[in-house]
Amino acid sequence: MFSKFSRRFFHLSCRTRNVRVRFAPSPTGYIHLGGLRTALYNFLFAKANNGQFILRIEDTDQKRLVPGAANQLEMDLDWMGLSPDESPMKNGTFGPYTQSERLCLYNQFVVELIKSGHAYHCFCSERRLEFVKKEAIREGAIPRYDNRCRQLSSSQVEEKKQHGMTSCIRFKLSSLEEPLQDLVYGDVDRNAVLHEGDPVIMKQDGYPTYHLANVIDDHLMGITHVLRGTEWLVSTAKHVLLYKAFGWHPPRFAHLPLITNADGTKLSKRQDDIRLDYFRSQGFYPEAIIGLLCLVGGGFSSSIDIQQNLHSLPELAKSFNLGCVTTHSGRLDMTRLDNFNRLALQNRISQPEKMDEMRKQLSHLVYENIPHSSIDKEMLQDASLLKVLHWASSEGRIHLLRQLTDPHMGFLWSSQRNPIISKIDPSTASMFCIFPILISFGTVAFL
């Protein structure tokens, strides 16, 4: 069963000449800028090579799942313009695309690993594992599993099962003979696995760990390149060993540099101010967020200026080059996001097809933030809103649409506003940038 199933998908993946990459988040939280950068680079690499971008949901950590997070992940990608070619919502030839729906596959492959001698049952209790860990720390050694159950004979395993003992499945690590090359970091220490204990690949609850599931799924889905965070670089050798144990050819690996907060601390899913939904609720646009992410980690040729300008996704894909990705971590500079969103706002105001949506958004913001009794209804007419938008975009007065409803902008909507404002013409709006607006005691003066 295993060999026939494996060969069928192996031939499918060999016939898949196009680049196939995947973004495989865990729905234990909502997407933040770190995960979004990984999705962006996978998307750009796929489009640069006329390939496919796949979304796979890795929900094997059932205890930490956040309800609704999986669906929100895909909707967030769609909002960003990074729509996958295959996904749980879109489906495709290589589905299902949610790991909890693929458990029977993992079980079949684990049985084969045990039969071939590459994996074994481990009956060690949590109490014993904790004792081994504490002893290692006490002796100044690196905590790791001591591979005790690796030596159990088949009869001993059966005896323990008959006594009702539960077990997980561990993979036997060994040295990796051939060199290991990463497309970003170059030579990778292939013998790092020799300093680890045998990893768990199937938990007691019947769910696979990341190490097993991602290898099986990447193979069966015909993934040609794995672009993921640098935190997985140390695990690459054990993943290649798993490929070898199955008799499969591994994909190419490219690990992306770490993104940190401005103070150098690590990003966290529980950090609200780096979550995508936070930026969306504040009024930042997808193209501005993408502009910020392109500054963190490199990956683009000098043919485009990512430092000062915004670019479309096709333009970014055309310029994307894994050879330009840096190996050092990058810090998020949120002031650059403000600047990029100012550009995005100006670009949108200059596009007639975007104006309808922006007028509706601005009208909603006015009713939401300005006291109704002070609103001049005439200023909410389409023509008036258009004038305000053009006035606001000239000289980059704002970087968020909602800033037009800040307290110091109240004169724009008030029946007591300066009559000059109502006469602003889009074609001459820029002339008003030379007049600083002074707000004093509720009046507006132009000097």
Side-chain angles (χ1 to χ4, degrees):
M1 174 66 180
F2 165 82
S3 298
K4 182 179 178 181
F5 186 86
S6 171
R7 283 197 302 269
R8 178 167 67 89
F9 277 93
F10 180 74
H11 292 324
L12 277 173
S13 64
C14 283
R15 289 199 305 267
T16 306
R17 295 182 179 180
N18 286 346
V19 163
R20 287 177 59 83
V21 296
R22 52 42 169 202
F23 174 52
S26 173
T28 54
Y30 297 99
I31 192 168
H32 62 53
L33 294 184
L36 188 59
R37 199 275 305 270
T38 300
L40 172 65
Y41 278 28
N42 273 280
F43 178 90
L44 294 177
F45 184 73
K47 301 312 172 186
N49 293 279
N50 297 315
Q52 286 82 44
F53 171 58
I54 293 94
L55 172 65
R56 186 174 72 222
I57 299 298
E58 300 197 340
D59 60 344
T60 57
D61 189 350
Q62 293 287 296
K63 294 180 180 179
R64 297 172 57 220
L65 293 185
V66 173
N71 286 341
Q72 188 61 49
L73 279 165
E74 185 157 358
M75 289 189 288
D76 286 340
L77 291 180
D78 287 341
W79 182 73
M80 290 294 300
L82 308 177
S83 297
D85 299 297
E86 302 168 27
S87 70
M89 290 185 180
K90 293 184 175 66
N91 216 327
T93 307
F94 298 88
Y97 295 89
T98 300
Q99 287 187 335
S100 58
E101 299 175 15
R102 301 170 63 86
L103 296 183
C104 61
L105 294 178
Y106 308 132
N107 289 327
Q108 293 168 12
F109 285 108
V110 161
V111 168
E112 290 301 321
L113 284 177
I114 293 173
K115 287 182 178 179
S116 64
H118 289 98
Y120 60 92
H121 289 272
C122 174
F123 297 91
C124 292
S125 64
E126 289 294 330
R127 183 178 178 181
R128 182 182 183 276
L129 293 175
E130 186 62 26
F131 173 78
V132 171
K133 178 181 177 180
K134 288 182 177 179
E135 280 296 295
I137 294 174
R138 186 178 65 82
E139 296 175 2
I142 299 174
R144 64 175 184 174
Y145 178 56
D146 59 1
N147 299 344
R148 177 182 182 180
C149 290
R150 188 195 268 215
Q151 314 304 325
L152 294 176
S153 64
S154 56
S155 59
Q156 289 174 312
V157 169
E158 289 305 314
E159 182 181 353
K160 290 180 180 295
K161 286 183 178 180
Q162 290 175 7
H163 283 85
M165 294 182 67
T166 58
S167 67
C168 64
I169 308 298
R170 292 182 182 271
F171 177 67
K172 292 182 180 178
L173 292 178
S174 60
S175 59
L176 187 62
E177 297 177 0
E178 62 270 19
L180 191 55
Q181 280 281 322
D182 185 82
L183 294 173
V184 173
Y185 284 80
D187 291 332
V188 178
D189 182 7
R190 62 182 186 273
N191 292 319
V193 293
L194 299 179
H195 306 294
E196 301 180 35
D198 292 338
V200 174
I201 56 173
M202 183 71 78
K203 296 174 285 187
Q204 290 184 5
D205 62 3
Y207 277 82
T209 62
Y210 172 80
H211 302 303
L212 177 72
N214 97 91
V215 166
I216 292 175
D217 289 341
D218 284 348
H219 174 73
L220 298 186
M221 293 181 180
I223 301 302
T224 60
H225 296 76
V226 172
L227 279 64
R228 59 188 180 186
T230 189
E231 65 270 19
W232 293 109
L233 186 60
V234 296
S235 298
T236 304
K238 71 183 67 165
H239 295 163
V240 172
L241 286 171
L242 274 164
Y243 278 102
K244 290 187 64 177
F246 284 123
W248 300 338
H249 184 72
R252 301 295 303 276
F253 293 94
H255 289 83
L256 308 175
L258 186 68
I259 298 180
T260 68
N261 292 299
D263 60 1
T265 56
K266 187 179 179 181
L267 302 185
S268 168
K269 284 186 178 181
R270 284 157 289 282
Q271 186 180 335
D272 290 339
D273 62 352
I274 53 98
R275 280 172 35 174
L276 179 60
D277 58 358
Y278 167 79
F279 295 105
R280 186 175 184 176
S281 67
Q282 292 297 303
F284 289 97
Y285 296 116
E287 58 267 37
I289 298 171
I290 287 173
L292 175 68
L293 294 177
C294 289
L295 298 180
V296 190
F300 302 91
S301 67
S302 58
S303 61
I304 61 173
D305 178 14
I306 62 171
Q307 294 294 326
Q308 303 297 330
N309 299 319
L310 294 177
H311 301 275
S312 67
L313 287 170
E315 289 172 336
L316 291 172
K318 186 176 180 180
S319 177
F320 187 73
N321 184 349
L322 276 178
C324 297
V325 175
T326 64
T327 57
H328 56 79
S329 60
R331 299 191 180 195
L332 289 170
D333 181 357
M334 291 306 175
T335 61
R336 302 299 298 275
L337 180 60
D338 292 347
N339 293 334
F340 281 140
N341 213 63
R342 182 176 288 106
L343 288 175
L345 191 60
Q346 292 172 335
N347 290 343
R348 284 171 175 248
I349 290 174
S350 67
Q351 300 174 42
E353 66 273 15
K354 300 282 189 181
M355 289 303 295
D356 251 356
E357 179 187 355
M358 296 192 71
R359 281 197 296 262
K360 291 176 183 177
Q361 290 174 347
L362 182 53
S363 179
H364 175 75
L365 286 168
V366 171
Y367 276 118
E368 191 176 62
N369 297 304
I370 304 295
H372 291 192
S373 60
S374 66
I375 296 176
D376 183 345
K377 300 299 189 293
E378 181 186 336
M379 288 305 295
L380 296 182
Q381 297 298 316
D382 284 353
S384 299
L385 290 172
L386 180 61
K387 290 178 182 180
V388 170
L389 287 169
H390 278 282
W391 172 82
S393 69
S394 63
E395 299 301 316
R397 286 182 169 88
I398 61 172
H399 68 271
L400 295 172
L401 194 61
R402 64 179 177 82
Q403 289 176 324
L404 286 173
T405 61
D406 285 350
H408 71 277
M409 289 288 192
F411 68 90
L412 289 170
W413 317 108
S414 172
S415 56
Q416 302 299 317
R417 70 189 186 283
N418 190 296
I420 296 178
I421 296 298
S422 63
K423 298 178 182 178
I424 295 176
D425 184 83
S427 63
T428 59
S430 60
M431 67 176 286
F432 291 96
C433 69
I434 65 173
F435 299 118
I437 300 173
L438 300 179
I439 302 173
S440 175
F441 304 108
T443 63
V444 179
F446 285 81
L447 302 180

